[in-house]
């Protein structure tokens, strides 16, 4: 049985600080030692358990990755705001970003996020991280990543703070 070396939170914070406070692939690899949800088929959704800090006007990446590598190009990937009440009674959730059929599904998304969000270019390798451009105070809160084809309701949750 392969055992990964344990990494402390202090080591993770130190490596993030060494990268200029940016979340890098190296940081994501280290984060997965802290928090993951096991999916059917031995896939894990990897996401940070610490808040992502941002100031108004910043561009941020909310890291989320499927491990082992899993091609998400032709899959549905949904990022939502679980703490926001749906604006339409027919909607059950407010979507920040929806990727379906190899493209963004604008009809499902909140208007305020259509021009400001994008997914990572690493979809082929399981990187489903969300980029938010020009963060505003209204972006403060929880974000949830969900991949329906992995049959799991509780994807990654990221908290942004100011």
């Amino acid at each position: 049985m392969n055992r990964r070396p344990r990494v402390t939170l202090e080591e993770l914070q130190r490596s993030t600080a060494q990268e200029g406070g940016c979340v890098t692939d190296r940081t994501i690899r280290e984060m997965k030692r802290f928090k993951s949800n096991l999916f059917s088929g031995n896939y894990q959704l990897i996401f940070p358990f610490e808040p992502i800090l941002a100031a108004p006007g910043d561009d941020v990446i909310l890291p989320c990755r499927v491990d082992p590598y899993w091609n998400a190009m032709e899959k549905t990937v949904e990022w939502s705001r679980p703490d926001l009440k749906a604006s339409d009674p027919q909607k059950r959730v407010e979507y920040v970003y929806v990727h379906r059929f190899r493209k963004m599904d604008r009809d499902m998304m909140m208007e305020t996020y259509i021009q400001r969000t994008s997914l990572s270019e690493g979809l082929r390798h399981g990187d489903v991280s969300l980029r938010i451009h020009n963060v505003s105070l209204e972006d403060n809160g929880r974000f949830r990543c969900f991949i329906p084809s992995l049959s799991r309701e509780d994807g990654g949750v990221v908290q942004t703070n100011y």
Side-chain angles (χ1 to χ4, degrees):
M1 183 158 111
N2 268 345
R3 292 197 151 236
R4 295 181 183 162
R6 292 183 88 63
V7 176
T8 66
L9 178 58
E10 292 78 23
E11 291 170 323
L12 175 61
Q13 289 170 332
R14 193 169 39 252
S15 77
T16 302
Q18 289 170 351
E19 300 291 341
C22 297
V23 176
T24 63
D25 282 342
R26 180 174 151 223
T27 308
I28 291 170
R29 284 192 303 273
E30 291 172 353
M31 282 188 302
K32 78 182 198 180
R33 296 184 182 143
F34 286 105
K35 176 90 176 181
S36 66
N37 279 341
L38 190 60
F39 287 107
S40 60
N42 294 322
Y43 288 105
Q44 295 179 18
L45 188 59
I46 313 297
F47 52 93
F49 67 95
E50 288 291 318
I52 301 295
L53 301 177
D58 285 353
D59 291 349
V60 296
I61 295 176
L62 306 182
C64 190
R65 179 181 300 270
V66 179
D67 186 49
Y69 285 156
W70 180 77
N71 187 345
M73 283 295 292
E74 297 186 21
K75 305 296 184 190
T76 298
V77 177
E78 302 171 347
W79 277 90
S80 63
R81 296 285 310 267
D83 26 345
L84 295 182
K85 186 176 180 181
S87 58
D88 181 342
Q90 295 181 355
K91 290 171 83 175
R92 58 185 175 98
V93 66
E94 289 291 349
Y95 290 107
V96 173
Y97 194 94
V98 178
H99 172 88
R100 283 196 174 97
F101 308 114
R102 303 187 85 155
K103 62 182 180 167
M104 177 193 318
D105 185 347
R106 294 170 175 259
D107 295 335
M108 299 288 295
M109 295 169 53
M110 294 171 60
E111 185 71 32
T112 185
Y113 288 103
I114 290 174
Q115 297 295 321
R116 298 189 307 120
T117 56
S118 61
L119 283 188
S120 163
E121 294 176 11
L123 283 174
R124 283 195 200 296
H125 305 291
D127 184 355
V128 294
S129 299
L130 179 71
R131 288 189 184 113
I132 303 176
H133 304 284
N134 194 23
V135 170
S136 70
L137 292 175
E138 288 77 33
D139 295 323
N140 187 47
R142 294 175 7 150
F143 289 78
R144 176 177 168 260
C145 178
F146 176 55
I147 302 174
S149 60
L150 291 180
S151 303
R152 185 72 179 211
E153 281 294 322
D154 55 286
V157 177
V158 178
Q159 179 78 35
T160 58
N161 291 319
Y162 298 96

